[in-house]
Amino acid sequence: MQQAIILITGASRGIGAATAKLAAKQGYRVIINYRNDANAAEALANDIKQGGGLAHCLQADVSQPEQVAAMFEQIRQNWGAVSALVNSAGILDTQARFVDTAPERWQQIFQTNVFGTMSCCQQAFAHMAKSTGGQGGAIVNLSSIAAVYGSPNEYVDYAASKGAIDTFTKGFALEVANEGVRVNAVRPGLIYTQMHAEGGEAGRVDRLGPTLPLKRGGQPEEVAEAIMWLVSEKSSYTTAGFIDVGGGR
């Protein structure tokens, strides 16, 4: 019996990598999408294979629609149709007040975080939808608690991009529910990933974690558990939904 195929974008690190490992343990053939870090992607794939799982690496910049289309076509030709998609790829820029940022920065963030997610969802629909011969499927978009709180003085543009993901998730989920495709989102909070260093404060989670009701930051594996529940049949009656993994914030 052919194993179900899950594509995880931005899977070479952080939440994406944790999700890839968990998906492999649950029996999925895992497609690890990455943009730049081939070494990290290959190391993750090797780790999964050593544990008895199936994993393949595909390079594509999700901010480029033609690369997204080519990636999905390559998956179909080599392994079959995607039955699960996790849109984990995302970027931010250095911490700054919004009034000090430039349109070029906003455009870059939205191109990856919003339009990249939308492109992947559009391509996944063609693999999953009953009207195109698909068997149905599940999509999980990575939003952020920042979409709710706005991330003032740090990442307002990033927060805005995740707010767009929330709205897109809701609308797209309702459009495709009768096609056997479920679409949900997970909103992580302060999670120990490399993104904080890229924003200029590697110790951000240590600084802010104690201010949360649970008094700590979260781990990527804790977010992965929520993602894979939404992918699984255990959540078969859940679509257009959101799970906050934010320590109570």
Side-chain angles (χ1 to χ4, degrees):
M1 182 177 178
Q2 185 178 4
Q3 287 182 280
I5 297 169
I6 185 170
L7 168 62
I8 305 172
T9 69
S12 64
R13 62 180 191 170
I15 292 169
T19 305
K21 291 178 182 178
L22 183 57
K25 289 178 181 178
Q26 294 180 4
Y28 285 88
R29 180 186 292 270
V30 181
I31 311 300
I32 299 167
N33 160 258
Y34 68 96
R35 182 179 61 172
N36 294 322
D37 198 343
N39 290 335
E42 290 292 347
L44 174 61
N46 289 335
D47 186 42
I48 288 172
K49 292 172 185 175
Q50 288 174 5
L54 291 175
H56 314 277
C57 300
L58 285 182
Q59 190 280 329
D61 183 346
V62 299
S63 72
Q64 304 302 311
E66 67 280 1
Q67 293 189 33
V68 171
M71 174 173 62
F72 273 87
E73 182 58 28
Q74 187 173 351
I75 294 169
R76 187 190 292 276
Q77 289 181 3
N78 290 333
W79 304 292
V82 170
S83 59
L85 167 67
V86 177
N87 282 304
S88 181
I91 63 171
L92 47 67
D93 209 323
T94 307
Q95 290 174 337
R97 296 173 68 236
F98 175 73
V99 294
D100 297 324
T101 62
E104 292 78 15
R105 167 174 158 147
W106 318 335
Q107 290 165 358
Q108 185 177 33
I109 289 171
F110 269 69
Q111 192 66 42
T112 294
N113 295 3
V114 182
F115 303 137
T117 293
M118 293 169 75
S119 292
C120 287
C121 284
Q122 192 175 61
Q123 292 293 329
F125 176 80
H127 282 232
M128 300 175 181
K130 293 178 180 178
S131 63
T132 61
Q135 302 299 311
I139 297 173
V140 179
N141 296 326
L142 266 291
S143 178
S144 172
I145 291 292
V148 179
Y149 292 97
S151 200
N153 302 307
E154 292 186 321
Y155 308 114
V156 169
D157 44 9
Y158 171 81
S161 76
K162 294 303 186 177
I165 289 299
D166 285 3
T167 301
F168 170 72
T169 297
K170 176 69 75 171
F172 184 57
L174 298 179
E175 275 193 4
V176 302
N178 65 345
E179 291 276 9
V181 180
R182 297 186 300 107
V183 186
N184 294 285
V186 171
R187 289 190 287 228
L190 289 164
I191 308 297
Y192 284 99
T193 70
Q194 294 168 262
M195 288 191 77
H196 301 286
E198 293 170 2
E201 187 185 355
R204 183 169 179 265
V205 178
D206 288 330
R207 175 172 63 87
L208 295 175
T211 69
L212 301 177
L214 288 184
K215 304 300 182 186
R216 66 174 179 87
Q219 297 296 329
E221 291 76 13
E222 294 175 295
V223 184
E225 290 285 353
I227 291 170
M228 290 308 300
W229 181 79
L230 288 171
V231 167
S232 77
E233 284 301 309
K234 294 177 182 179
S235 64
S236 58
Y237 197 55
T238 301
T239 197
F242 299 84
I243 296 180
D244 290 351
V245 186
R249 185 179 180 190

